[in-house]
Amino acid sequence: MASFNKFESFVEAIAEKVHNLGADTLKVVLTNSAPVATNTVLANITQIANGNGYTTGGVTLTSVTLAESGAGTGIWVWTCADFSWTASGGSIATFQYVVIYDDTPSSPADPLVGYLDYGSALVITSGNSFTVDVGASGVIRYQEA
């Protein structure tokens, strides 16, 4: 399972009302360059090459929700439907990181949320798919102290 890492700017952006995780258009891109915690916007990320089933700018997350896991639990879960890429006409370029960003805000444009680190380089060969299984725990899980 990949580990999720939030960008430092994400917490500040939440406090400044930049993100609306339940309503904004959230997207996911692939990179083989290690993100840095201090990256702030998509322009800081070097995406893999466009083609063979990968489109620069990534895929849009669907069925995005932000909800308390149970009334009064104080545990908030941000989740979405599983998402994937399918290689066609050749392999999708090597990647290790799956980066989530918010495509809705214009200032700053495309602020970063976080990324999944798969621990080693991956390649999706032609005819095969790579699916991120979000699972019951969601993308982000927050519990009040």
Side-chain angles (χ1 to χ4, degrees), residues 65-120:
T65 60
L66 176 64
E68 192 171 17
S69 65
T73 63
I75 301 171
W76 288 86
V77 179
W78 177 62
T79 191
C80 63
D82 295 349
F83 51 94
S84 64
W85 291 267
T86 300
S88 175
S91 296
I92 292 178
T94 303
F95 68 96
Q96 179 175 333
Y97 309 95
V98 176
V99 179
I100 302 169
Y101 73 98
D102 190 340
D103 194 39
T104 300
S106 58
S107 182
D110 303 327
L112 299 172
V113 173
Y115 63 94
L116 297 167
D117 180 352
Y118 280 86
S120 62

Side-chain angles (χ1 to χ4, degrees), residues 18-52:
V18 171
H19 298 284
N20 181 338
L21 296 179
D24 288 358
T25 299
L26 296 146
K27 292 189 170 189
V28 186
V29 299
L30 302 176
T31 182
N32 201 37
S33 300
V36 178
T38 55
N39 290 149
T40 59
V41 294
L42 181 61
N44 299 143
I45 302 299
T46 303
Q47 293 182 57
I48 63 169
N50 190 67
N52 298 333

Side-chain angles (χ1 to χ4, degrees), residues 60-65 79-84 132-135 139:
T60 301
L61 298 180
T62 60
S63 302
V64 177
T65 60
T79 191
C80 63
D82 295 349
F83 51 94
S84 64
V132 175
D133 180 0
V134 175
V139 178

